[in-house]
Amino acid sequence: MSETEIVTTVAGGTGHIELNRPKALNALTMDMVRAIDEALQAWESDEGVTRVLITSGSPKAFCAGGDIRAIRDQVVAGEDFTPFFRAEYEMNLRLAEFGKPVIALIDGVDMGGGIGVSVHGSHRVVSEKALLAMPEVAIGFLPDVGATYILSRLPQGVGELMGMTAARIGAGDALAVGLATHFVASESMEQVKAALLAGRDLDVVLAEFAAPAPAPVLPLDQVAEVFGRGSVPEILAALAVTEGGWADTAREQLATACPTSVFVTFDLIQQARERTLAQCLAEEAVVGARLIRRPDFVEGIRAVLVDKTRDPHFDPATVNDVEESRIEKIIGDS
């Protein structure tokens, strides 16, 4: 790891973690995950640190996710890819259970593993540039880093929409559904960071720099009506006759999503409502490993990230071809 990929400092009682791998949109590597976790462990018992601030050194992204291409290379080479996920999930849980405020300044793209670094914190501050998503179904994987837990607790249907279609939502919708807690204009984000590192009161700073947030776009009543149904076939049938730009986008995204991942994601979100975060992370680790070992994962990475042709050839090829017995085998006794 370059010394600058994760920069940790302490100032004004604030432990500051800066993600600084801008060329890769801060895609998380094993070394980055370990560096974040080590900082959290050190600050948890440090009385001189009263809160943690997580920011990005990239002008485009908070964090685009895990370095999934590296995972694909490990799979193709027959290497053990599980240590990365084990370390990442331990870090996610530590963030969620951290006994002090954790503030993430989300001023750009925040997807996949980036959600695990930001949304588990107590304060999720978004700007008009924020764009949140869990896009794993597009590559034959599943929403992980505790996302099944998070998605299962959003307003009815929203978690299924985001998890099954890789829907991207902006600041207004993130605030409306509870993924974000505060809005600050992008031009003020550096001032917020400076104020916190100067030791100023968190609530006072967020109030001082608060700005009117963009209006939400998602029609939550329609999302609940379509994606709040009891099975994938029921959702697909309702979506097929629903009008509106959001529904058109959902249909387009489902058309290129991995069918197996769509079913697995739906089932895990339902089960997550009765589980703790730790239990959800454990479930994601087992089921995720099974999905990664399937050809769909390597094919999905090829189509989306390697060749960038966006033409994955999944097996089965459509949601109508998915057999429930296959899904039960993947989820199994995880």
Side-chain angles (χ1 to χ4, degrees):
M1 182 181 72
S2 165
E3 291 182 2
T4 59
E5 286 182 2
I6 293 290
V7 180
T8 60
T9 55
V10 176
T14 304
H16 181 206
I17 297 171
E18 182 178 72
L19 311 179
N20 192 37
R21 196 185 176 208
K23 290 183 179 179
L25 299 181
N26 293 332
L28 297 169
T29 64
M30 171 70 93
D31 287 340
M32 292 171 72
V33 167
R34 285 175 172 162
I36 294 170
D37 200 41
E38 287 169 3
L40 292 173
Q41 291 183 62
W43 293 337
E44 198 159 21
S45 58
D46 186 341
E47 294 182 359
V49 175
T50 61
R51 60 197 179 195
V52 172
L53 174 66
I54 308 177
T55 66
S56 164
S58 165
K60 297 180 179 179
F62 177 83
C63 176
D67 192 346
I68 210 71
R69 289 185 63 166
I71 300 298
R72 175 187 183 269
D73 292 343
Q74 288 180 305
V75 174
V76 171
E79 299 172 359
D80 183 9
F81 55 82
T82 58
F84 171 79
F85 292 99
R86 189 179 307 115
E88 184 181 28
Y89 296 176
E90 288 176 358
M91 179 266 290
N92 297 145
L93 188 59
R94 194 179 310 282
L95 268 173
E97 296 180 345
F98 204 72
K100 305 171 185 180
V102 177
I103 309 103
L105 301 186
I106 308 168
D107 190 27
V109 172
D110 187 18
M111 298 185 180
I115 295 291
V117 177
S118 58
V119 178
H120 290 305
S122 58
H123 296 67
R124 290 92 64 188
V125 185
V126 292
S127 77
E128 71 278 8
K129 291 166 56 179
L131 195 65
L132 282 65
M134 292 302 298
E136 289 81 3
V137 292
I139 57 171
F141 193 44
L142 57 81
D144 65 335
V145 298
T148 57
Y149 178 88
I150 294 166
L151 297 177
S152 73
R153 284 153 175 81
L154 299 184
Q156 185 178 11
V158 175
E160 285 83 354
L161 169 66
M162 291 188 67
M164 294 168 62
T165 75
R168 300 181 176 191
I169 69 170
D173 286 309
L175 289 159
V177 304
L179 285 173
T181 59
H182 299 78
F183 180 82
V184 169
S186 179
E187 64 183 11
S188 299
M189 281 290 196
E190 282 297 317
Q191 293 171 278
V192 170
K193 181 174 78 172
L196 294 177
L197 293 177
R200 293 186 58 196
D201 181 83
L202 172 59
D203 292 333
V204 171
V205 170
L206 292 178
E208 178 180 337
F209 291 98
V217 176
L218 283 177
L220 295 182
D221 54 344
Q222 291 184 41
V223 173
E225 172 63 24
V226 174
F227 280 87
R229 296 178 180 246
S231 70
V232 174
E234 289 178 77
I235 289 173
L236 296 178
L239 183 61
V241 296
T242 300
E243 298 180 354
W246 77 273
D248 292 339
T249 300
R251 283 188 288 267
E252 292 171 4
Q253 291 173 308
L254 276 168
T256 57
C258 172
T260 298
S261 292
V262 169
F263 275 79
V264 167
T265 295
F266 174 83
D267 285 354
L268 290 189
I269 291 175
Q270 311 316 305
Q271 295 174 16
R273 295 191 171 96
E274 304 299 325
R275 292 184 168 136
T276 65
L277 173 59
Q279 290 170 332
C280 288
L281 285 164
E283 176 89 354
E284 292 164 7
V286 174
V287 177
R290 292 171 182 164
L291 288 175
I292 286 174
R293 293 186 177 101
R294 299 181 75 250
D296 280 350
F297 178 77
V298 172
E299 171 60 13
I301 300 297
R302 177 204 64 78
V304 175
L305 297 177
V306 180
D307 296 339
K308 299 182 180 180
T309 54
R310 299 280 174 176
D311 63 343
H313 302 292
F314 294 126
D315 180 23
T318 72
V319 288
N320 294 324
D321 298 325
V322 175
E323 299 175 2
E324 194 61 42
S325 58
R326 276 193 178 191
I327 304 304
E328 292 174 359
K329 191 172 183 180
I330 292 171
I331 296 178
D333 298 323
S334 50

